[in-house]
Amino acid sequence: MISRNRTLVVSRFLGCVCAALYGLIAPWYLLEFTGPLYDSARVLELILLIPIVALVIVIPTWRHQALMVFASIPNTIKIGLRAFLILALTSSLFAQFPEKSLQEISLFLLLFMFGIICQFLTSNNKTLMDRLFIATTLLGALLFICHFVICYLAAVVTNVSFSWISPFVSFSNVRFFSQYQAYTLPILVIPLVAFNLPLRWRTVTLILLAFWWALHFATGTRSVWVALIITTLFLLIFLKDQARQWLIWQLAGMLIGGILYLAFDYLTLDNSLYGLGSITKRGLDDNGRWPLWLNAFEMIKNHPLLGIGPMHFAFNNFTIAAHPHNSTLHIAAEYGLPAVLIAVYLVVALLKKAVAWCIKPTYSENPQINIALTASLVCGLCDSLLSGNIIMPHSQMMLFMIGGWLIGRNQTMAAKTTGVNSSQANWKSLVLVAVVSALIIIQLNGIQNYYAFMKQSNFSVPEYAHPRFWNNGHWPVDEIKIIPQVSP
């Protein structure tokens, strides 16, 4: 019994660390064995995601807890999730490249399992996971800020133009960084609203939040500004006084961050490529979104029930973009109208529950954390209506991590798990192991195909490739359009 309890404690500790690790290293860490920067982000996502989910196969207690989470889901949500999965799998069977569709579906199922793991880990120890998730996100932001400052100063000293678009520090595109900010800006304020910190640490946290806001000013991403405005209105309408503290500290961070940005903007010679000047220059220009949306509408019109297949928007827009920059149109075009209606219902149900948890917490100790996490989800999901943040590595992981974190801290496990014996696993455990194993095998096969292609030295990545799964997001596995390298 002592050995079993010790194994349970160790497994939970490792799971907690692994679940929170992404927020620490993802914003600034670059892998050295990948191709483009976007591929580095995807490989990092899979390197962390696959082992974490694989623990469900290895640790019987985790399987039991995952099944308990499944059992605790309301019946209407279960029906919605099952229906969406059936529609997605059916759509993939009729798609032009079923193996690529299955690769995307398997990734989302792994992310869903990751969210469930975050949920039951948080449910088991709310205080630990609150502090761990917040600490790693704050430290990750701090390391990115240091990385940014070093890169910018290096560019100034060497008289090299600093890229404000692509690549942007450790992100292949500044918009991917902004998508990450859409989820992290709302939660960086948590230490200020939820913990009784000493003045020096409160000051440090506020400065860090202000720098994060300054970077948001500097990157000039309009979709996140729109998302933040909608998030503020959401909180004012549904939470009113409960959200006052969160709004005040965010306003303070924004004002100080704005001052830092203006000082930086004044000292910089060329400010036409970033920040408020960039937003003014673009104005209401759709940056090609309207043609993409019209293209998505055409796909919906031609394939209303099952869509054209997961990941197949990319294959039908080889020279334009790999996704329509709108999550609703994206799901409708690739999965079909029934699937998008189910997805909208699931999101609305989650946000409705989140508002209820903010107003009247159940098992959580501090409603301010619930408010910050709800704001994070609203901001990220609103940004997805103008971007591709539901399919980009950094924002994907944050979406499911924050969702699992929020649900876990407001729910408690219905039964104890210390008495679980692997020899007593039932058929549901076997099904879970089989499904998770299949998901991991599909992803490992995708990684192998990617590296096999990249090793073909007589081919090069097309300059007009757009990110979808890998940076070469349009590529089918076997019928790939490739461009031979041309000698200079």
Side-chain angles (χ1 to χ4, degrees), residues 53-71:
V53 177
L55 290 175
V56 173
I57 300 174
V58 177
I59 304 174
T61 303
W62 279 40
R63 289 200 298 275
H64 181 72
Q65 293 199 346
L67 291 172
M68 287 173 60
V69 171
F70 287 132

Side-chain angles (χ1 to χ4, degrees), residues 392-405:
M392 299 306 169
H394 291 87
S395 45
Q396 269 186 342
M397 288 287 283
M398 293 303 296
L399 170 61
F400 285 88
M401 185 193 86
I402 291 170
W405 179 10

Side-chain angles (χ1 to χ4, degrees), residues 69-244:
V69 171
F70 287 132
S72 68
I73 297 175
N75 288 331
T76 53
I77 304 299
K78 281 183 187 175
I79 293 171
L81 291 170
R82 289 168 181 167
F84 187 91
L85 179 58
I86 291 171
L87 288 169
L89 292 174
T90 305
S91 177
S92 69
L93 293 177
F94 288 94
Q96 185 179 1
F97 303 105
E99 70 283 359
K100 300 301 289 183
S101 292
L102 289 175
Q103 187 178 16
E104 178 141 307
I105 292 171
S106 69
L107 175 63
F108 274 99
L109 288 175
L110 285 175
L111 287 164
F112 182 73
M113 285 299 305
F114 172 65
I116 288 205
I117 290 171
C118 291
Q119 177 179 345
F120 69 67
L121 287 175
T122 305
S123 180
N124 287 326
N125 197 327
K126 297 175 181 61
T127 302
L128 172 63
M129 293 306 294
D130 281 347
R131 296 179 182 276
L132 194 59
F133 279 133
I134 294 166
T136 52
T137 303
L138 283 166
L139 186 54
L142 174 62
L143 291 171
F144 178 84
I145 290 169
C146 294
H147 195 176
F148 169 84
V149 170
I150 291 171
C151 289
Y152 184 80
L153 292 178
V156 172
V157 171
T158 57
N159 199 27
V160 175
S161 177
F162 181 78
S163 174
W164 285 99
I165 301 296
S166 180
F168 178 73
V169 193
S170 55
F171 288 78
S172 61
N173 191 290
V174 69
R175 304 308 170 216
F176 304 150
F177 169 69
S178 295
Q179 291 165 10
Y180 179 79
Q181 275 194 311
Y183 290 99
T184 51
L185 261 176
I187 62 176
L188 287 185
V189 77
I190 289 179
L192 297 170
V193 298
F195 303 136
N196 187 22
L197 296 176
L199 179 60
R200 61 181 181 278
W201 290 115
R202 189 172 290 268
T203 304
V204 169
T205 303
L206 181 58
I207 293 173
L208 181 59
L209 176 65
F211 266 105
W212 213 235
W213 269 104
L215 282 172
H216 178 55
F217 276 101
T219 54
T221 302
R222 293 171 298 171
S223 63
V224 180
W225 277 112
V226 173
L228 287 167
I229 292 171
I230 295 174
T231 301
T232 301
L233 293 175
F234 179 92
L235 296 178
L236 290 173
I237 292 170
F238 293 104
L239 297 181
K240 299 180 177 66
D241 290 342
Q242 285 93 336
R244 181 187 302 171

Side-chain angles (χ1 to χ4, degrees), residues 148-407:
F148 169 84
V149 170
I150 291 171
C151 289
Y152 184 80
L153 292 178
V156 172
V157 171
T158 57
N159 199 27
V160 175
S161 177
F162 181 78
S163 174
W164 285 99
I165 301 296
S166 180
F168 178 73
V169 193
S170 55
F171 288 78
S172 61
N173 191 290
V174 69
R175 304 308 170 216
F176 304 150
F177 169 69
S178 295
Q179 291 165 10
Y180 179 79
Q181 275 194 311
Y183 290 99
T184 51
L185 261 176
I187 62 176
L188 287 185
V189 77
I190 289 179
L192 297 170
V193 298
F195 303 136
N196 187 22
L197 296 176
L199 179 60
R200 61 181 181 278
W201 290 115
R202 189 172 290 268
T203 304
V204 169
T205 303
L206 181 58
I207 293 173
L208 181 59
L209 176 65
F211 266 105
W212 213 235
W213 269 104
L215 282 172
H216 178 55
F217 276 101
T219 54
T221 302
R222 293 171 298 171
S223 63
V224 180
W225 277 112
V226 173
L228 287 167
I229 292 171
I230 295 174
T231 301
T232 301
L233 293 175
F234 179 92
L235 296 178
L236 290 173
I237 292 170
F238 293 104
L239 297 181
K240 299 180 177 66
D241 290 342
Q242 285 93 336
R244 181 187 302 171
Q245 194 176 358
W246 183 91
L247 290 168
I248 289 173
W249 280 110
Q250 284 289 8
L251 179 61
M254 183 180 71
L255 291 176
I256 299 173
I259 294 171
L260 293 174
Y261 161 74
L262 290 175
F264 171 79
D265 188 59
Y266 177 77
L267 296 172
T268 306
L269 296 177
D270 182 9
N271 58 7
S272 62
L273 298 177
Y274 70 92
L276 300 180
S278 170
I279 294 177
T280 303
K281 184 178 179 180
R282 286 172 289 163
L284 297 177
D285 179 28
D286 64 2
N287 279 104
R289 283 175 173 81
W290 184 245
L292 289 172
W293 293 351
L294 291 178
N295 208 330
F297 279 122
E298 188 67 22
M299 294 177 187
I300 296 168
K301 178 182 175 182
N302 295 331
H303 305 274
L305 293 180
L306 294 174
I308 60 172
M311 211 189 291
H312 279 60
F313 190 96
F315 303 145
N316 288 270
N317 292 271
F318 196 85
T319 60
I320 305 175
H323 56 88
H325 290 70
N326 182 290
S327 56
T328 304
L329 292 179
H330 173 164
I331 297 172
E334 293 192 342
Y335 295 78
L337 289 174
V340 77
L341 292 175
I342 293 171
V344 169
Y345 166 75
L346 294 174
V347 169
V348 171
L350 173 60
L351 294 181
K352 183 179 178 181
K353 197 69 177 176
V355 169
W357 287 330
C358 292
I359 296 173
K360 188 177 180 180
T362 50
Y363 299 98
S364 59
E365 298 176 359
N366 196 317
Q368 291 298 325
I369 299 180
N370 288 346
I371 293 170
L373 295 179
T374 301
S376 176
L377 290 177
V378 172
C379 189
L381 292 170
C382 287
D383 175 65
S384 76
L385 298 177
L386 295 167
S387 74
N389 92 20
I390 65 169
I391 59 172
M392 299 306 169
H394 291 87
S395 45
Q396 269 186 342
M397 288 287 283
M398 293 303 296
L399 170 61
F400 285 88
M401 185 193 86
I402 291 170
W405 179 10
L406 174 63
I407 296 171

Side-chain angles (χ1 to χ4, degrees), residues 31-45:
L31 299 173
E32 297 181 356
F33 54 85
T34 64
L37 289 181
Y38 181 82
D39 296 350
S40 174
R42 180 68 74 193
V43 172
L44 178 61
E45 175 188 28

